Amino acid sequence: MDTFDNLTKYKIFLSVAENKSISKAAVQLYISQPAVSITIKKLEENLNTTLFIRKPKGVELTEKGKLLYDSVKKSLNMLSDTERSLRFPHYTGYLRIASSNVLCKHFLMPYLKAFSNLYPDTDLAITCTSSAEACSMIEECRIDLALVVKPENLGRLIYHSLGVIEYIFVCTQAYREKLNCKNDKVFDYANIMLLDKDNVSRKHINNYYAKNNIIPFHILEVNEMDMLIEFAKMGIGISCVVKQFVEDELKSGVLIEIDLSNPVPSREIGFLYNDIQPFNENILKFVNVEF
């Protein structure tokens, strides 16, 4: 069996793996569903292994299928990258990055600006999503680099720490005086403004509440950290925000921090990537860029 004879099969294999569906892959590739099924069957016969587990609503990769997916994805990306570099001599490759909206705006942006200035001929693709989804995308080789809250289990992934982020509760001085209670009692009287329940940061705060037996009197939910900051500045409640994002407001006195007996635990953030070969050298260039 010649590997090059399988190039078309591999492209179909990738589409099925990424869509988790033979029918969706057929639509994406503009070929018939039976043709996709036959191709996958022939590939499995050639490799003498099972690549997919068939389920009522789609397919999932087997362990050997995942191994092949990682290798094929990287290899085809490298081949495409090499072809492009031959056509365009100044082309310096690609880098696919994922991050949450909050981390992208406040932590990733300086890296993007510095990297783009140093390597203007490198293609950048940015996906804004949750930290959990970014980790999944790394594991599935759909991206090269993720800026995330440090996962509990790194597995075979490599993690480059950028330090910690601190969560604090802030409000205006006028709103704080209106409450007329001790700091640890503000949750009993104030409008507490938090990110929505699906947000990873919100889950962290919910865990903090549970461990400290805190039941907020009234919660207002929003889906953007910037909105939490603006609402706090308007004096309509107390917002839970990342301290690094409101340093100017704290220095100027526009906002004040609620000094709690048991502060919210900080969280570590950093870059996450996979060292599967062939390795994309732009990952290390980006992680180590100076600004």
Side-chain angles (χ1 to χ4, degrees):
M1 180 189 67
D2 192 332
T3 300
F4 291 102
D5 291 337
N6 277 333
L7 281 178
T8 300
K9 295 186 183 71
Y10 284 145
K11 290 180 180 179
I12 294 174
F13 163 75
L14 287 182
S15 181
V16 173
E18 290 171 354
N19 284 286
K20 297 182 179 180
S21 167
I22 289 176
S23 59
K24 290 180 181 179
V27 172
Q28 184 184 70
L29 298 170
Y30 299 101
I31 57 179
S32 69
Q33 185 172 331
V36 175
S37 297
I38 292 171
T39 299
I40 295 300
K41 183 178 180 180
K42 286 184 177 179
L43 184 60
E44 289 180 322
E45 290 174 350
N46 288 342
L47 298 175
N48 193 29
T49 191
T50 301
L51 299 173
F52 292 100
I53 299 173
R54 276 68 174 177
K55 295 193 171 185
K57 294 185 178 181
V59 296
E60 287 186 7
L61 287 168
T62 62
E63 288 303 314
K64 290 186 177 179
K66 291 177 182 178
L67 182 64
L68 180 64
Y69 177 86
D70 290 344
S71 179
V72 171
K73 184 72 172 180
K74 284 287 185 179
S75 297
L76 290 182
N77 281 341
M78 185 177 183
L79 179 60
S80 177
D81 195 38
T82 302
E83 289 178 345
R84 185 165 182 176
S85 67
L86 292 174
R87 293 194 192 101
F88 309 99
H90 296 294
Y91 176 63
T92 53
Y94 64 91
L95 188 62
R96 302 162 300 166
I97 308 170
S99 170
S100 69
N101 288 325
V102 171
L103 294 182
C104 181
K105 179 176 180 179
H106 295 277
F107 290 100
L108 186 63
M109 201 62 70
Y111 282 87
L112 291 172
K113 291 179 180 178
F115 185 85
S116 296
N117 288 334
L118 288 172
Y119 307 102
D121 295 310
T122 300
D123 285 343
L124 289 174
I126 314 299
T127 300
C128 288
T129 185
S130 67
S131 288
E133 176 61 17
C135 289
S136 295
M137 294 174 74
I138 281 287
E139 292 175 348
E140 296 171 4
C141 299
R142 287 185 282 149
I143 56 171
D144 305 293
L145 186 66
L147 176 57
V148 297
V149 173
K150 185 178 182 180
E152 292 183 6
N153 181 19
L154 291 175
R156 64 182 180 180
L157 301 176
I158 297 174
Y159 181 77
H160 178 87
S161 178
L162 296 182
V164 299
I165 55 175
E166 300 177 65
Y167 292 92
I168 61 173
F169 290 88
V170 298
C171 64
T172 62
Q173 181 67 43
Y175 187 84
R176 178 66 189 88
E177 291 174 355
K178 183 174 66 174
L179 294 175
N180 191 29
C181 65
K182 294 182 179 180
N183 285 344
D184 288 335
K185 291 292 183 179
V186 296
F187 300 108
D188 296 335
Y189 304 100
N191 289 325
I192 304 299
M193 298 182 287
L194 306 171
L195 291 172
D196 59 67
K197 294 178 181 178
D198 292 331
N199 190 281
V200 174
S201 294
R202 170 63 182 279
K203 293 177 182 177
H204 182 63
I205 300 304
N206 285 347
N207 289 336
Y208 166 77
Y209 282 156
K211 289 180 180 179
N212 290 276
N213 297 315
I214 296 173
I215 303 177
F217 167 71
H218 188 225
I219 292 178
L220 301 178
E221 294 182 343
V222 300
N223 58 10
E224 292 287 344
M225 183 72 70
D226 288 345
M227 292 176 65
L228 288 178
I229 296 171
E230 290 305 313
F231 286 162
K233 289 161 65 174
M234 290 169 60
I236 61 176
I238 296 176
S239 289
C240 181
V241 300
V242 173
K243 187 172 185 177
Q244 288 93 326
F245 301 169
V246 291
E247 289 179 344
D248 291 341
E249 286 84 355
L250 293 174
K251 288 178 181 178
S252 66
V254 172
L255 293 174
I256 62 170
E257 178 181 352
I258 306 298
D259 188 17
L260 300 171
S261 299
N262 295 311
V264 180
S266 58
R267 307 177 77 197
E268 187 176 355
I269 63 169
F271 288 117
L272 193 67
Y273 58 93
N274 203 319
D275 67 345
I276 290 178
Q277 299 300 319
F279 185 73
N280 186 347
E281 296 297 336
N282 284 318
I283 294 173
L284 296 183
K285 290 179 183 178
F286 191 93
V287 168
N288 296 309
V289 71
E290 295 183 1
F291 52 87

